[in-house]
Structures are given as structure tokens and as C-alpha cells.
Amino acid sequence: MGLLTMAVSIKSLRPTCNSETCGYATPSQVAFFYASLYVMAVGAGGTKPNISTFGADQFDDFDRHERKLKASFFNWWMFSSFFGALIATLGLVYVQENVSWGVGYGIPTTGLVVSLLIFYAGAPNYRHKARKAESPAREIVKVWTTAFANRRFELPDDPAELFELEPRHYLLTGKRRLHHSSSFRFLDRAAIKEGAGPCTVTQVQEAKLVAGMTLIWFATLVPSIIGAQVNTLFVKQGTTLDRQLGQAFRIPAASLGSFITISMLLAVPFYDRYFVPFMRRRTGNPRGITILQRLGIGFGFQVLDALVAYAVELRRMHVIRQRAVAGPGDTVPMSIFWLMPQYVLLGVGDVFNAIGLLEFFYDQSPESMQSLGTTFFTSSIGVGNFLNSLLVTVVDRVTRAGGGKSWIGNNLNDSHLDYYYAFLMAISAINLAVFVWASSEYEYKEEALEVTEAKVVCVQMEGMLVDAPPASSEGRYLTKKIASKKEKEEEEEQVLTQ
């Protein structure tokens, strides 16, 4: 952000502009600007996949009160993120267009410095989860390679015959044992006892979780494409409409994105304080509804949003034909607030969709790979943006071929954006149907009771500290030193009994 602020503030790093136009940027200016963006992307690669996971890790899964609070964490995490986005779309966009780009970028840069200082000030108080595996990714690869190596072995009819360690191992190491599931059955070959170097059922289940999340991840790409319209075609559509508000103020087309944020800021408290308790009483689910049901509702909102965008575009084209304003610079005599419903629907849908995705990928990730879960979430947004650019390019070339009229031409007043929105609505509906099928086949992560209900005991044996997870409502850690072999055995026996 510091480099980006310099790129728009220092005269030698930006093109020369007068009151009306700007000259072309030099190659060195372009290189500096893009270098700033890529440095920011590298930084985001460190924070985006980890910061929400790290926040969720501050809650103790074995404390009943903290576990209840954690169920709301992602709702309020996204609430705070969207509150920042509201400040950006309403305040910073105005500053950038009416004061200067340097001040517009300098404000968030200063904010980042302040937030960094707050983060470091709180560092002594953060909880850190102990790493239970040296290389979680290597274990996933091992399951796949072992399953392939054991492809000629017959799978036992009873999953209990597969290789698994004793519950004592999981109690003393603190690693959570996972129950066997019937999904991705071919991976069970990795746990055949007769095979060479068999994996445990828990390791196999972790590989299954990653495979299941990958399938759900593919189903999130189309919704990410719909979400990408906010910063592309929705804005371009808004620039053609009447944006005048009173005599002196003209609404920036990009600021209409604030309606997404406002609708989400209003919907999150309603969802968390009213909808969840209401559904909890009827379903018995602590979340009110399952995470995949939440995602399905969110995807449904996206289909509805594409339908509304299609209907509004039909109205815009009707006004264009009626008023004969098909020129590239003509303003369509139709208020920009006609676009508000599609922004509001996206905001309400994100309460189910975006927050649900973040919670799903965190919750269903293997214990030692939960930062991978939020990587799934952020990467689906990034890939969705790339696919949106690719889709726009392909549609433009295909519809322009043979002298035809492009659906998404430079002159949006003489294009067929309504056809494109109808196309988005169709693929969203198909994607929703595929998601419903995939979610009906999905099996949620199920942990063994003897681990999740165990009392936390830190046992120091032969100079090595071993964690076991807690079950007491307080979630406190009890540290005991075991001096003799007999005391060691008695302590293990006590842990197993509890």
C-alpha cells in the first residue's frame, strides 16, 4: 500500500495530467504500478488464508460457552470486513475522485500501519494451536499413493478391519481421531493392514475431507463469477444511467456497491440473533441449519440476482429504444437506483453464501490444515474473477464473429447485455442443481467421542510434552509431572477412564 500510494502521489511515478486528460504512462511507471499490486498480492497471500483461521483458533472447542461463541465468529468476522468495505465504497472512492488519489490511498495505508501495531500489541495474549503433524500435505499425498499401491487388495466389508491406532495414542498426542465414512471408498485401500506401510483410518479420512472440499470448491466458481459482476459489468451498466443526485452531486457508479455492504450489515445481525435461534429450536442444529443448506440458500439468491439483473437490463434497453439514446456517450434517462435491487440481493445472499463458505472450509478441513480451508475460500474468489474475465472475452468474440452484434460491446447502449445476464442465470441454475446433488452425497467430518470429551492433561514423559484435548467446561490445562513408571501408567489409565 505504501508503494501504491507513492505510485499515485509522486510526479515522476505517474503520468502527467491536466484538467481534462492524462498522458500515457511510461514503461517504468507501469512497471512500478504493477509491482505495487503484486507486492500487495503477496502480502494478501500471507494474511487472507490465515487471519480468519487464527481468529477462530482463539475459541476453545472444548469449552461449551466458547464453542457457542465460535458459531457466530464468522458472521461477525465478515460483518467487520464489510464494514471496512462500506467505508471504502462510500468514503474513499469519493476522496479519490474529488480530493486526490494520493490521499485516497494514503488513508488505508495509515490504517494498515495502525492495525499492524494493534496486532503486535495483542501478540502475547493470542492462543496458538499445537501442530499435530510435521507435514499435513505430505500425509494427504501418502494416502493417495498408498491407495494406488494397494489397488489390487480386496477391501474388507467391515471398516473396523482397517488399520487404526489405539484410542490411547490420540488421547496422549492430542490429535483427533476421525470416524470412517463411506465416501471416496477407493481411498480406504490406503488403510488395508496387509498393504505396505498402511495409513490410519484417520489419515484416510483427512484425505477424504480434502477431496470432498475440492468438489464443493468447484461448485463455488460460478457464484464467484456472479459476484465478479459487481466490479465489472454492474459498474459499466451504472455509468450509462442517470447518476445525478440534486444539482451538484453525481453518484460514482462504483459507490453503488455500498448497497451490498449495507444490506449485508443489516442482514448479519438479523441472521445471527433471530434466524439462527428460530431455526435452532426447530432443527436442533446449533447453527440453525447445516452449512451446506446455508450455501444452497446463498446460491439460490445468486440465481435470483441474475434474474433481477436481466429484468433491469430489459427495462434499460426499452428506455434506450424509446428515447433513441444508443450513442456510446449517451446517458440513458433512467435512475441508477434501478440497479439497487441486484446489489441488495447480492448482499443478503453473501450472508448465506460468502460467510457459509468461509465457515464450511474452516470447519471441514483436517485439524492440522485449517488454514487450507480459508485458502479454498479466497482462491474460489480469485479464480472466479479470472473465469469471469475469460467468459466475457469468449462471449464477446463468439457473438461478434461473422459480423454479429457483441453482447458486451464497448458501447453498452448498443449491445445485448440482457442476453449475457440470461446466460449467467442459466449457468447459475445448473450450478445450483449440481451443488444440491453434491451436497446430498457429502458426509460431514465426524470426530471420535473419546477424544472430544477427554479432559486436557499435559503429561511430561521422559522430557517430552504431550497434549491431550480438554473436555471440562472450563477448558483449563492440568500439568502433572510423572516421576516413575508406575505413576505414568496410573496417569494414562486415569486419562483413558475419563
Side-chain angles (χ1 to χ4, degrees), residues 282-314:
R282 281 152 180 77
T283 63
N285 189 311
R287 292 186 172 93
I289 55 178
T290 67
I291 307 178
L292 290 176
Q293 286 173 339
R294 183 176 186 173
L295 291 179
I297 295 172
F299 292 172
F301 265 99
Q302 299 232 324
V303 177
L304 182 60
D305 183 72
L307 173 62
V308 170
Y310 169 71
V312 171
E313 180 60 16
L314 284 180

Side-chain angles (χ1 to χ4, degrees), residues 408-431:
I408 319 166
N410 290 327
N411 179 10
L412 214 58
N413 291 338
D414 191 33
S415 300
H416 271 299
L417 193 58
D418 55 331
Y419 292 172
Y420 185 69
Y421 284 152
F423 172 67
L424 290 181
M425 181 176 60
I427 63 174
S428 296
I430 294 171
N431 183 75

Side-chain angles (χ1 to χ4, degrees), residues 37 48 86 105 108 123 127 148 167 202 228 245 252 255 259 286 319 326 339 449 465 472 474:
L37 294 180
K48 292 285 187 182
L86 179 64
Y105 279 114
R127 288 172 171 171
F148 180 77
T202 294
L245 191 66
S255 290
F259 285 110
V319 174
L339 300 181
L449 291 176
L465 188 66
S472 62
E474 296 84 3

Side-chain angles (χ1 to χ4, degrees), residues 253-282:
S255 290
L256 218 61
S258 61
F259 285 110
I260 296 178
T261 309
I262 293 171
S263 59
M264 188 176 187
L265 292 177
L266 294 175
V268 166
F270 178 83
Y271 179 90
D272 192 74
R273 298 305 182 196
Y274 297 101
F275 179 80
V276 171
F278 176 80
M279 294 303 299
R280 186 185 293 148
R281 289 192 294 268
R282 281 152 180 77

